[in-house]
Amino acid sequence: MSVVTEEIKAKAEFYQGDQLCQEKSKELLKEILLPNGLLPLKDIEECGYVRETGFVWLKQKKETTHKFQKIGKLVSYATEVTAYVEQHRIKKLTGVKTKELLIWVTLNEIYVDDPPAGKITFKTPAGLFRSFPVTAFEVEEEAKEVKEAVEVKEV
């Protein structure tokens, strides 16, 4: 059963469709100063953001597993991912797990220390945590697009 009720949707900036939700999720990550590749979801059906509380959700057609190549970690995203966001931080995260050794571990908080070039830390409900370079979660395609736009302006 979904945590996202019609009452929550009524208060939210609400979007449907994969392409629009991909754009909006990247915009949100940029707005709260987190790396743009943190939510590599596929086939997103809907997403929403309640600004007054910071509550966000993303619903995708099926569970997705993504490997962050720069750190060699597998992360699983459920069909529904929810959280509360603020600057440099995602709290009360649901629907995200990471593989440590042979088991999947639930994550419930993500935050950046010493932004923008610092470390990004992932915490579990048990208080265990692991930190990585922020750059491991940045999508390079956007950096290329920005570079190309700058080159076009210079010509």
Side-chain angles (χ1 to χ4, degrees), residues 26-129:
K26 283 186 175 58
E27 283 175 21
L28 175 64
L29 289 169
K30 186 176 180 180
E31 185 180 315
I32 63 171
L33 306 172
L34 288 175
N36 61 358
L38 206 54
L39 296 169
L41 304 182
K42 295 180 180 133
D43 294 328
I44 303 173
E45 295 179 308
E46 70 177 51
C47 62
Y49 180 28
V50 181
R51 285 194 182 271
E52 63 187 42
T53 63
F55 180 72
V56 297
W57 76 91
L58 296 128
K59 287 185 183 179
Q60 56 185 349
K61 289 182 182 175
K62 61 181 183 177
E63 187 175 302
T64 302
T65 301
H66 177 80
K67 184 171 186 174
F68 288 97
Q69 295 297 331
K70 292 180 183 175
I71 59 169
K73 289 288 177 192
L74 274 176
V75 179
S76 172
Y77 299 88
T79 54
E80 183 173 279
V81 175
T82 66
Y84 287 87
V85 298
E86 57 188 50
Q87 291 295 308
H88 306 291
R89 184 175 299 270
I90 296 175
K91 302 184 300 187
K92 299 182 181 176
L93 178 64
T94 67
V96 181
K97 296 177 184 177
T98 184
K99 193 159 192 180
E100 288 293 327
L101 298 173
L102 300 173
I103 59 169
W104 287 96
V105 180
T106 300
L107 297 175
N108 73 333
E109 188 172 354
I110 302 170
Y111 60 91
V112 173
D113 286 327
D114 190 28
K119 298 275 187 186
I120 186 163
T121 301
F122 299 84
K123 284 180 68 175
T124 69
L128 301 172
F129 65 91

Side-chain angles (χ1 to χ4, degrees), residues 16-23 41-46:
Q16 291 183 305
D18 184 54
Q19 186 173 354
L20 183 57
C21 289
Q22 294 284 351
E23 290 171 24
L41 304 182
K42 295 180 180 133
D43 294 328
I44 303 173
E45 295 179 308
E46 70 177 51

